[in-house]
């Protein structure tokens, strides 16, 4: 019995010793194994605002028709280059040509009537001087001659109008450029009534283009004309293009209580690889700092778990999600904010409050605080491995 008690006590002691050893081993794990660490450095940071937009030609002309008719000839097709004044298509001119001939005949008829009125006026003057006719008869002859002159002028104007309409049956290009769309075919009838139908679309010059993008009201106050713009398109995902803010439209657009403003970006397209209608992902640099102290945004987002021995965030201190200065997100933003980072000191973590400036969504400018170049800060916790020991995956120690 006594031997059994001794064995039981020895077993309890072994278990207690093992627990203490395991606790000390787990507690003495290095910070490099438990956390992802990164050193504070100096560098450049640029804050940007982003939006999507559409590439458009600077001048896109919708070529229509002022007269109705059936398309009898087509001289251009998609992507054809055209010159100003070049014939694009022709409409059937049979009815308009007949109307023009009728107007010309009417001019001759009225001209003949005018000749007769002038001859009658001359005879009336001669007879009036010999007192064979009254003054009233002379004045009637003068009025007939003047009326015939007015009718001739009216007939000539109608004939000129019909000639112009006949000329409109040949549709010509108003500008030099490239045909980007053709919406009619041979044999199709077009009717010009209260609204001019569009037949062909011509982009004047694809070497110079523009982007029409919509920016939220929270970002529009940071945008100025002349700012440099970088953008990408899906057609060339690994290539970045440049432009410049040309204009900020003052007319807002409201959709689902979200107010946006149109920002027009001008750009050069010398290779003409950017095509109308492409979606552009626009990024505008609104603020820039050179050679400043930078803290990773991951360090601002890090918060120790409750089981950690580290210091907790001071009461009232902003967390990383509140320490923005970032261009994305909703709500009112400030030029400066504050945040908390955890610095490694003597093998322990110490919470530090820092004042923050602009951010590029990866690093944030440090305006004030006790951080300095070379300080090691925590950017996250390492994922525990299956045997209970922390893994060093993703650790960065400088």
């Amino acid at each position: 019995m006594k031997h059994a008690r001794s064995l039981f006590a020895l077993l309890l002691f072994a278990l207690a010793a093992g627990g203490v050893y395991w606790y000390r081993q787990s507690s003495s794990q290095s910070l490099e194994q438990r956390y992802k660490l990164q050193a504070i450095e100096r560098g450049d940071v640029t804050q940007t605002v982003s939006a999507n937009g559409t590439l458009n030609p600077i001048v896109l002309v919708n070529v229509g028709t002022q007269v109705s008719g059936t398309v009898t000839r087509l001289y251009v097709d998609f992507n054809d280059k055209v010159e100003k004044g070049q014939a694009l298509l022709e409409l059937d001119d049979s009815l308009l040509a007949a109307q023009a001939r009728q107007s010309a005949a009417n001019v001759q008829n009225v001209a003949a009537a005018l000749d007769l009125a002038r001859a009658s006026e001359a005879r009336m003057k001669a007879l009036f001087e010999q007192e064979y006719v009254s003054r009233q008869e002379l004045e009637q002859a003068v009025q007939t001659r003047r009326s015939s002159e007015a009718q001739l002028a009216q007939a000539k104007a109608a004939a000129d109008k019909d000639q112009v309409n006949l000329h409109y049956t040949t549709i010509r290009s108003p500008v030099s450029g490239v045909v980007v769309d053709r919406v009619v075919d041979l044999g199709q009838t077009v009717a010009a009534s209260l609204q001019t139908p569009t037949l062909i679309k011509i982009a004047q010059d694809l070497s110079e283009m523009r982007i029409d993008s919509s920016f939220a009201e929270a970002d529009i106050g940071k945008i100025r004309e002349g700012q440099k713009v970088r953008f990408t398109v899906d057609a060339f995902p690994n290539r970045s293009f440049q432009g410049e803010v040309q204009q900020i439209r003052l007319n807002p657009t409201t959709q689902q209580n979200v107010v946006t403003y149109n920002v027009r970006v001008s750009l050069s397209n010398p290779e003409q690889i950017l095509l109308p209608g492409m979606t552009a992902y626009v990024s505008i640099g609104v603020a820039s700092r050179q050679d400043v102290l930078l803290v990773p945004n991951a360090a601002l987002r890090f918060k120790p778990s409750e089981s950690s021995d580290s210091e907790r965030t001071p009461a009232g201190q902003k967390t990383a999600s509140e320490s923005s200065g970032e261009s994305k997100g909703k709500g009112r933003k400030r030029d400066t904010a504050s945040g908390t980072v955890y610095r490694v000191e003597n093998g322990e973590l110490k919470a530090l409050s820092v004042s923050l400036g602009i951010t590029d969504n990866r690093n944030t400018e440090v305006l004030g605080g006790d951080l300095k170049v070379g300080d090691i800060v925590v950017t996250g916790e390492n994922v525990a491995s299956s045997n209970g020991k922390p893994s060093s995956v993703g650790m960065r120690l400088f």
Side-chain angles (χ1 to χ4, degrees), residues 13 15 57 68 70 73 79-81 91-92 134 136 176 190 206 220 257 284 289 304 312 320 340 354 360 365 378-379:
F13 177 78
L15 290 174
S68 302
T70 303
R73 290 183 179 86
N79 301 338
D80 285 350
K81 293 184 178 180
L91 302 177
D92 182 17
S134 66
Q136 181 179 2
S176 299
V190 293
L206 293 181
I220 200 67
N257 295 327
I284 302 177
R289 304 286 188 272
R312 295 188 178 183
T340 299
V354 291
D360 60 2
E365 175 191 15
V378 181
T379 60

Side-chain angles (χ1 to χ4, degrees), residues 10-327:
L10 182 62
L11 181 60
L12 289 177
F13 177 78
L15 290 174
V20 171
Y21 176 78
W22 177 84
Y23 176 77
R24 289 182 176 179
Q25 284 295 107
S26 60
S27 300
S28 62
Q29 291 170 351
S30 65
L31 294 177
E32 291 85 350
Q33 292 177 313
R34 297 175 59 186
Y35 300 108
K36 301 175 185 178
L37 306 178
Q38 187 170 338
I40 297 297
E41 299 177 344
R42 299 186 71 88
D44 302 338
V45 61
T46 300
Q47 183 175 356
T48 61
V49 292
S50 303
N52 295 344
T54 304
L55 280 162
N56 294 309
I58 293 180
V59 178
L60 182 64
V61 180
N62 295 323
V63 181
T65 176
Q66 298 186 40
V67 296
S68 302
T70 303
V71 179
T72 57
R73 290 183 179 86
L74 269 176
Y75 298 115
V76 296
D77 204 348
F78 294 92
N79 301 338
D80 285 350
K81 293 184 178 180
V82 296
E83 300 295 331
K84 183 177 181 180
Q86 177 180 338
L88 303 177
L89 57 90
E90 288 186 7
L91 302 177
D92 182 17
D93 62 353
S94 301
L95 292 178
L96 293 176
Q99 182 67 35
R101 292 193 297 270
Q102 181 179 353
S103 298
N106 187 43
V107 170
Q108 295 178 356
N109 183 37
V110 175
L114 176 60
D115 292 339
L116 178 60
R118 286 173 177 171
S120 297
E121 180 186 7
R123 285 193 298 271
M124 285 295 178
K125 285 183 178 181
L127 294 174
F128 178 75
E129 290 175 355
Q130 298 175 9
E131 297 182 354
Y132 287 121
V133 294
S134 66
R135 177 175 294 275
Q136 181 179 2
E137 292 175 316
L138 175 61
E139 290 175 349
Q140 287 178 348
V142 172
Q143 187 274 334
T144 301
R145 187 262 306 171
R146 290 179 178 176
S147 177
S148 297
E149 290 178 343
Q151 291 176 2
L152 179 61
Q154 185 177 6
K156 287 182 177 180
D160 292 341
K161 177 183 176 181
D162 291 337
Q163 284 294 331
V164 171
N165 287 335
L166 181 61
H167 176 73
Y168 283 157
T169 57
T170 299
I171 311 300
R172 300 184 180 274
S173 175
V175 295
S176 299
V178 180
V179 176
V180 297
D181 192 15
R182 175 177 60 81
V183 297
V184 293
D185 291 302
L186 281 174
Q188 182 174 342
T189 300
V190 293
S193 54
L194 297 178
Q195 185 176 4
T196 301
T198 298
L199 308 180
I200 292 175
K201 294 183 180 181
I202 299 177
Q204 185 173 4
D205 185 8
L206 293 181
S207 63
E208 297 290 334
M209 300 187 71
R210 69 170 188 255
I211 299 175
D212 292 310
S213 56
S214 296
F215 281 84
E217 60 177 328
D219 296 329
I220 200 67
K222 305 169 188 174
I223 302 175
R224 298 289 183 272
E225 293 183 4
Q227 287 177 334
K228 299 301 179 182
V229 176
R230 301 184 69 86
F231 68 94
T232 59
V233 294
D234 290 333
F236 305 96
N238 299 322
R239 183 171 176 179
S240 178
F241 301 89
Q242 295 185 354
E244 184 177 294
V245 176
Q246 179 186 17
Q247 187 182 52
I248 302 173
R249 297 288 178 90
L250 302 180
N251 184 34
T253 300
T254 304
Q255 293 183 348
Q256 298 181 351
N257 295 327
V258 177
V259 180
T260 60
Y261 291 84
N262 180 271
V263 176
R264 176 161 290 183
V265 176
S266 61
L267 60 111
S268 296
N269 184 28
E271 303 176 64
Q272 297 193 10
I273 58 176
L274 299 175
L275 305 180
M278 283 185 173
T279 299
Y281 304 96
V282 179
S283 179
I284 302 177
V286 296
S288 180
R289 304 286 188 272
Q290 285 76 38
D291 193 28
V292 296
L293 196 64
L294 300 178
V295 61
N297 283 8
L300 297 171
R301 292 190 296 266
F302 171 74
K303 187 176 182 181
S305 59
E306 295 181 359
S307 61
S308 174
D309 296 332
S310 306
E311 299 182 16
R312 295 188 178 183
T313 303
Q317 182 63 57
K318 286 183 177 291
T319 62
S321 61
E322 298 168 331
S323 60
S324 58
E326 298 183 13
S327 60

Side-chain angles (χ1 to χ4, degrees), residues 321-363:
S321 61
E322 298 168 331
S323 60
S324 58
E326 298 183 13
S327 60
K328 294 185 178 180
K330 298 180 180 179
R332 185 174 298 175
K333 303 176 180 62
R334 301 184 299 172
D335 293 336
T336 61
S338 60
T340 299
V341 297
Y342 289 85
R343 182 175 64 184
V344 177
E345 286 189 8
N346 300 325
E348 297 181 352
L349 299 186
K350 181 179 181 181
L352 296 178
S353 177
V354 291
S355 298
L356 305 176
I358 66 173
T359 180
D360 60 2
N361 298 325
R362 295 184 59 187
N363 298 301

